[in-house]
Amino acid sequence: MAQSDTVDRILDAAEELFAERGFAETSLRMITSKANVNLAAVNYHFGSKKALIHAVFARFLTPFSSTLEAAFDDLEKKCQGNPPTLNQTLWVLTESAIRMPQRNEKGISIFMRLLGLAYTQSQGHLRKFLEQEYGQPFSRFMRLLKEATPELSAVDRYWRIQFMLGATAFTMSSSDALIDILENKLGVQASVQEIAARLVPFLAEGMKAPDKLQVPPSLAGTTVA
Amino acid sequence: MAQSDTVDRILDAAEELFAERGFAETSLRMITSKANVNLAAVNYHFGSKKALIHAVFARFLTPFSSTLEAAFDDLEKKCQGNPPTLNQTLWVLTESAIRMPQRNEKGISIFMRLLGLAYTQSQGHLRKFLEQEYGQPFSRFMRLLKEATPELSAVDRYWRIQFMLGATAFTMSSSDALIDILENKLGVQASVQEIAARLVPFLAEGMKAPDKLQVPPSLAGTTVA
DNA sequence: TCAGCCCTCAAACGTATGTTTCAAACAGAC
DNA sequence: GTCTGTTTGAAACATACGTTTGAGGGCTGA
């Protein structure tokens, strides 16, 4: 088995368990027994549980980061000077995520769920790791968003980006469960690709909403700052 | 003092710690020492950690549930037969959340963060508890959404509701941090009420987006189901 | 063949967790 | 004041965790 098939088995098991149970709720013993590997192997190969978490993220985030940067390069070249539109920017991100080489059919939903967890579960060390390791493509995405929505005030854009992040992270991180529920309720099958195709127009429209706060009469007298 | 001020002190401490650290990452010892209460008090008054979690949710969800039902009653009465609009429905929900009596200034963000955690952290027992305890107002909200968007297919509506939930839960659950970041970056102050006022139009516009999936040429050949 | 290194294994370590125990303190009723 | 049921206190319980240890196995290069 070449050099240490153990490492990959651990990463596979950890990725799946982390995605479905979170980090704190997943013990090393669960991981090692799912991977059919000795308990000590994790600390031998990775050093600690924290380092294992980082390695799980790095395994898919590093190639994704490259793919995304390349896609942004293409996009900006194609637009030759003009800033890419909001839809183009969102699609490039979505497409890069979908096109990633996947280990199995659940690849993307695990990918998304892990990202959601990274945002959600406080895990200070993880946020620091992700920030200083993959902060660059993130900043670039932000810049593209800014150039694609020049009509928005900085404050409006700030909040709406948060709304987009939320809708995406939340939905994608539970995509498996949501797809199952949809099938049970309406008998309709869906895929992560289809969710993405529905999500992008939703986000783009929300982003372009009129910026006036239409406070209804019933709230007019209250403490809206 | 009255009868067991201990119970409330435990609930206060647990609520805050759960909100900022999650359930598994918060130990009973953290809770009892923050509450200045003996460790055994939790098991004495609540029976178990799971029951404590349920109690924390029940304390704010039960009055909120009543408030919301009353607000829906009012709304439907005012509309006399005609289904309430999407904006009305969303505003009634938002208003009910904002108007809830709050124990402190962080009331709403804790409220939202806990709801987000309930969705995110798998914690099977919690989902079951919430479903069978507060399923009714939730179903009613869903029905109102359905009547307010008759032009949407059931599948479109399903996914867009998830998107709305995500944007709301995600943003509101981190509202404190996001407000701080905004102030540091742009020197602008914000409030939870203002976030809500910005969120509702975003959601409403996204909800009304054209339902065609505008798959771009670059993705046309791939496996969009 | 044998030394050297990488890896695996079972077992144990120390710590932290949720829970239980039982004696002491307290309250209100008679 | 005494008695009864409720609440608190300090300590211990069993269990699970992440991590470390040291002996052993298997491969490689000389």
Side-chain angles (χ1 to χ4, degrees):
Chain A
M1 306 303 165
Q3 47 105 31
S4 204
D5 148 78
T6 300
V7 168
D8 287 316
R9 294 232 303 285
I10 291 177
L11 285 174
D12 287 340
E15 180 178 272
E16 203 159 330
L17 286 172
F18 284 154
E20 70 187 30
R21 308 181 39 99
F23 305 112
E25 295 86 346
T26 302
S27 71
L28 293 185
R29 284 167 175 83
M30 293 179 197
I31 295 172
T32 52
S33 66
K34 176 175 185 125
N36 274 321
V37 150
N38 187 271
L39 170 60
V42 169
N43 284 280
Y44 175 78
H45 287 288
F46 298 94
S48 70
K49 186 179 180 181
K50 288 184 182 180
L52 206 213
I53 297 177
H54 294 180
V56 166
F57 276 85
R59 184 168 62 151
F60 71 81
L61 229 38
T62 297
F64 174 68
S65 178
S66 308
T67 301
L68 188 59
E69 292 272 21
F72 281 153
D73 288 343
D74 280 358
L75 179 61
E76 289 195 305
K77 191 184 299 170
K78 199 188 317 179
C79 293
Q80 24 189 6
N82 302 326
T85 69
L86 177 59
N87 272 287
Q88 283 176 320
T89 303
L90 293 179
W91 268 117
V92 161
L93 179 69
T94 305
E95 195 184 354
S96 299
I98 292 178
R99 285 268 177 95
M100 283 297 292
Q102 298 161 46
R103 265 173 298 283
N104 55 50
E105 77 282 353
K106 299 184 296 184
I108 290 206
S109 75
I110 288 185
F111 173 107
M112 287 296 182
R113 177 131 178 89
L114 286 176
L115 280 185
L117 286 180
Y119 235 96
T120 283
Q121 317 223 158
S122 29
Q123 298 280 18
H125 67 97
L126 221 195
R127 281 179 93 130
K128 257 173 225 162
F129 171 77
L130 295 177
E131 210 157 297
Q132 72 179 41
E133 212 72 20
Y134 305 102
Q136 184 183 325
F138 186 75
S139 298
R140 186 171 181 185
F141 176 63
M142 287 301 184
R143 182 175 59 73
L144 287 172
L145 280 186
K146 180 173 180 178
E147 293 169 358
T149 56
E151 75 282 7
L152 289 183
S153 73
V155 177
D156 268 328
R157 190 182 306 113
Y158 174 82
W159 286 115
R160 290 181 182 183
I161 287 175
Q162 300 302 330
F163 302 156
M164 293 203 306
L165 277 179
T168 306
F170 186 90
T171 307
M172 290 308 191
S173 74
S174 307
S175 57
D176 283 342
L178 294 176
I179 286 174
D180 284 351
I181 295 175
L182 178 63
E183 175 151 18
N184 284 349
K185 263 194 171 171
L186 303 177
V188 176
Q189 295 216 342
S191 65
V192 175
Q193 286 81 357
E194 192 190 331
I195 301 179
R198 294 181 184 278
L199 182 53
V200 171
F202 178 93
L203 299 180
E205 283 303 307
M207 207 65 184
K208 295 182 229 154
D211 61 342
K212 288 292 171 204
L213 322 179
Q214 345 153 325
V215 179
S218 57
L219 258 181
T222 63
T223 61
V224 173
Chain B
M1 321 308 165
Q3 49 103 32
S4 203
D5 146 81
T6 301
V7 168
D8 287 316
R9 293 231 302 285
I10 292 176
L11 285 174
D12 287 339
E15 180 178 271
E16 203 159 330
L17 286 171
F18 284 154
E20 69 188 30
R21 308 181 38 99
F23 304 114
E25 294 87 345
T26 302
S27 72
L28 293 186
R29 283 167 176 81
M30 292 178 198
I31 295 172
T32 53
S33 66
K34 178 178 184 120
N36 274 320
V37 151
N38 187 273
L39 170 61
V42 169
N43 284 279
Y44 175 77
H45 286 288
F46 298 95
S48 69
K49 186 180 180 181
K50 288 184 182 181
L52 206 213
I53 296 177
H54 294 180
V56 166
F57 276 86
R59 184 166 64 151
F60 71 82
L61 231 37
T62 297
F64 174 67
S65 179
S66 307
T67 301
L68 188 59
E69 292 272 22
F72 282 154
D73 288 343
D74 281 358
L75 179 61
E76 289 195 305
K77 193 185 299 170
K78 199 188 314 181
C79 294
Q80 24 190 6
N82 302 326
T85 68
L86 178 59
N87 272 287
Q88 284 176 320
T89 304
L90 293 180
W91 268 116
V92 161
L93 179 69
T94 303
E95 196 184 353
S96 298
I98 291 179
R99 286 265 178 98
M100 283 295 292
Q102 297 162 45
R103 265 173 298 283
N104 55 49
E105 76 282 353
K106 300 184 295 186
I108 290 205
S109 76
I110 288 185
F111 173 107
M112 286 296 182
R113 178 129 177 88
L114 286 175
L115 281 184
L117 287 179
Y119 235 95
T120 283
Q121 317 221 158
S122 32
Q123 296 281 18
H125 66 97
L126 221 194
R127 280 179 95 131
K128 259 174 223 161
F129 171 76
L130 295 178
E131 211 157 296
Q132 72 179 41
E133 211 72 19
Y134 305 101
Q136 184 182 324
F138 185 75
S139 298
R140 187 170 179 186
F141 176 62
M142 287 301 184
R143 184 174 58 74
L144 287 172
L145 279 186
K146 180 173 178 177
E147 293 169 358
T149 56
E151 76 280 7
L152 289 182
S153 74
V155 178
D156 268 329
R157 190 182 306 112
Y158 174 83
W159 286 115
R160 291 182 181 183
I161 287 175
Q162 300 301 331
F163 302 156
M164 294 202 304
L165 277 179
T168 306
F170 185 89
T171 307
M172 289 308 189
S173 75
S174 307
S175 58
D176 282 341
L178 295 176
I179 286 175
D180 284 352
I181 294 175
L182 178 62
E183 176 153 16
N184 284 348
K185 263 193 174 173
L186 304 178
V188 176
Q189 295 216 340
S191 65
V192 174
Q193 285 80 359
E194 192 190 331
I195 301 179
R198 293 180 185 277
L199 181 53
V200 170
F202 178 93
L203 300 180
E205 282 304 306
M207 207 67 184
K208 295 182 230 155
D211 61 340
K212 287 293 170 205
L213 321 180
Q214 347 153 325
V215 179
S218 55
L219 258 180
T222 63
T223 61
V224 174

